[in-house]
Amino acid sequence: MSLLLAASAPTQADCPTIAGFDQILDNKKNQFIVLGEFHGTNEMPQIFGDAVCLASKERPITVALEMPETDQQLINAYLASSGDFGAKQDFLKAQIWKNDFKDGRSSEAMFALFDRLRAFQAAGKIQSVVAFQPAKWLSNAKYERAMAELIKAQTQKHSRVLVFVGNVHAMRTKVAFGPKPYVAMAGYLPKKSTLTLNIVDDGGSAWACTGPKKCGVITSQRPTQTSKRGVVIEAKRNAAYDGVLFLGAATTASPPQQPLSK
């Protein structure tokens, strides 16, 4: 692996620096930048928001999130709102927050990310936010393809797209879950213009679901490590990801977003 060195000066005063991310952005061929996360942490939505901030420095971008496509209208309405109490109450009617199965995508951190994206859109930094979880349940292979098609269908021809998705979907190679391997979502995006990064932490915790009714805080089984916040590109051909985005910190669990009270 080869380390991408950070620029000598911050890109924007209001955007936390991610070492090496500027070089990814400087490559105009990278139209689709996919960040694969482990759902249910505070830190991974935070660093994705930082990446959006950096990527939108020159021109507005498109953001794609692993959220139900049926929530698209409510997402659009919230992003266009002032973000006041009433707007938040209306947004909490979206399927993702109301599901009985509350995985990490329905977390407080994800709700906070939407508020950050709302501010970015109001400032003209992003064009739109695309929800790309298919409404219909499909076979694994068809589901992955459908996710990619939803992203491509709502992306302007020359628009740069930052995608935030579970790290299995972010793989460029086949996934070996189930009896037959299948291509992950990122493998259906345009090969020459897609770059995938796996977000890696220094251990920690997350809110996750290990069964239909088994959701709660889990601790990382991976040994704690120390890393610097930034991007490392994978030199190996045919790797699952093009590189790694190191958080440079341990994660903390973000529980499901709860109804608001005045």
Side-chain angles (χ1 to χ4, degrees):
M1 300 181 105
S2 58
L3 179 65
L4 292 180
L5 299 179
S8 57
T11 305
Q12 288 185 336
D14 58 343
C15 297
T17 300
I18 301 174
F21 197 64
D22 58 329
Q23 294 184 37
I24 289 174
L25 297 174
D26 288 343
N27 187 342
K28 304 306 179 185
K29 292 182 179 180
N30 294 330
Q31 181 186 10
F32 297 90
I33 302 174
V34 183
L35 275 60
E37 69 147 350
F38 189 88
H39 301 314
T41 74
N42 287 297
E43 291 73 18
M44 294 195 185
Q46 176 67 44
I47 201 169
F48 178 76
D50 295 345
V52 170
C53 189
L54 292 166
S56 61
K57 63 178 180 177
E58 294 180 354
R59 57 191 172 97
I61 64 169
T62 297
V63 172
L65 301 177
E66 188 187 352
M67 292 285 174
E69 64 169 320
T70 52
D71 286 343
Q72 188 66 63
Q73 287 189 336
L74 286 172
I75 290 172
N76 293 345
Y78 183 66
L79 295 175
S81 76
S82 65
D84 62 12
F85 183 83
K88 286 182 168 63
Q89 289 281 58
D90 288 340
F91 188 34
L92 284 172
K93 297 175 183 176
Q95 177 185 338
I96 190 64
W97 316 117
K98 295 173 64 177
N99 282 342
D100 292 334
F101 183 76
K102 295 187 181 298
D103 65 14
R105 294 174 303 126
S106 61
S107 69
E108 293 175 349
M110 285 302 298
F111 195 84
L113 174 62
F114 272 108
D115 201 47
R116 195 174 179 192
L117 295 176
R118 181 193 59 77
F120 286 158
Q121 181 165 296
K125 291 186 174 184
I126 60 176
Q127 297 170 323
S128 62
V129 173
V130 176
F132 64 89
Q133 181 189 3
K136 295 182 180 180
W137 182 253
L138 305 164
S139 67
N140 287 335
K142 290 181 179 179
Y143 184 86
E144 299 292 328
R145 182 188 288 272
M147 294 174 86
E149 293 302 322
L150 281 169
I151 294 172
K152 291 186 288 185
Q154 298 188 60
T155 299
Q156 296 180 19
K157 186 175 181 180
H158 300 294
S159 175
R160 172 162 276 167
V161 186
L162 259 67
V163 183
F164 193 47
V165 66
N167 54 18
V168 173
H169 305 300
M171 295 170 62
R172 303 194 67 156
T173 52
K174 288 188 176 181
V175 179
F177 291 158
K180 186 177 180 180
Y182 55 92
V183 176
M185 182 277 294
Y188 289 109
L189 294 175
K191 185 175 182 180
K192 293 183 179 180
S193 56
T194 298
L195 181 138
T196 65
L197 299 174
N198 185 28
I199 306 176
V200 174
D201 54 59
D202 289 358
S205 61
W207 177 279
C209 296
T210 57
K213 296 182 179 180
K214 295 181 179 179
C215 299
V217 178
I218 64 169
T219 302
S220 174
Q221 299 301 309
R222 186 166 42 78
T224 301
Q225 63 183 39
T226 301
S227 58
K228 292 184 179 180
R229 174 179 158 114
V231 175
V232 173
I233 292 299
E234 174 65 68
K236 181 181 177 181
R237 291 185 178 183
N238 301 319
Y241 308 96
D242 294 303
V244 174
L245 171 54
F246 287 106
L247 275 178
T251 58
T252 55
S254 181
Q257 177 64 44
Q258 300 298 315
L260 303 178
S261 59
K262 288 186 176 180

